[in-house]
Amino acid sequence: MNLSTQYDIMNSNIQSVSHPLVADIYVKREYVRGNPALCNDVLVIEANFSDSKADYQVYSAKLAELLMALPSIRDQVEDSVGSIDRVDIKTH
C-alpha cells in the first residue's frame, strides 16, 4: 500500500444509486504525491452493517449479498460518473 497519496472527494451525481445494505456511496480521486497525473477514481461503499454488531453468519450473509450486487452498483455509478479504477467497501 502506498501511503504517499492524497485524495479529493468527487461531488458526483451518484445519489440515484441505492441498495438496502449501503449507508453511503461516493467516489474519491486518489493522487500520488509528486505525480498528480497518476490518479485512481475509487468508489467507496459504506455498508450499513457491522462485523462488531452482528454474528459471523449474519455478517457473512450480508457481505455476500452486497458483493453479489456490486457489479450492478458499479455499472450504475460508472454510467453516472465514468470509469472506476477500484472499489472499497467499509463496514463499521
Side-chain angles (χ1 to χ4, degrees), residues 9 14-15 17-27 43-49 66 73 88-90 92:
I9 302 297
I14 56 176
Q15 291 80 20
V17 178
S18 66
H19 188 276
L21 295 176
V22 175
D24 194 14
I25 187 168
Y26 56 92
V27 176
L43 174 63
V44 180
I45 298 173
E46 293 187 12
N48 66 5
F49 57 91
L66 182 57
I73 293 170
D88 290 351
I89 298 175
K90 293 181 177 182
H92 301 280

Side-chain angles (χ1 to χ4, degrees), residues 6 9 12 19-20 22 34 41-42 44 46 48-49 52 57-58 61-63 65-66 77 80-81 83 85 88 90:
Q6 62 185 11
I9 302 297
S12 303
H19 188 276
V22 175
D41 290 336
V42 181
V44 180
E46 293 187 12
N48 66 5
F49 57 91
S52 63
Q57 290 179 342
V58 171
K62 287 183 177 185
L63 184 58
E65 183 180 340
L66 182 57
V77 170
S80 296
V81 301
S83 180
D85 298 306
D88 290 351
K90 293 181 177 182

Side-chain angles (χ1 to χ4, degrees), residues 26-78:
Y26 56 92
V27 176
K28 71 178 184 178
R29 180 165 284 159
E30 287 185 340
Y31 299 94
V32 176
R33 287 192 187 150
N35 193 349
L38 294 177
C39 65
N40 289 317
D41 290 336
V42 181
L43 174 63
V44 180
I45 298 173
E46 293 187 12
N48 66 5
F49 57 91
S50 170
D51 60 346
S52 63
K53 296 180 182 174
D55 66 32
Y56 176 75
Q57 290 179 342
V58 171
Y59 175 79
S60 294
K62 287 183 177 185
L63 184 58
E65 183 180 340
L66 182 57
L67 290 174
M68 293 296 291
L70 189 57
S72 173
I73 293 170
R74 183 178 180 151
D75 287 345
Q76 290 177 51
V77 170
E78 287 184 330

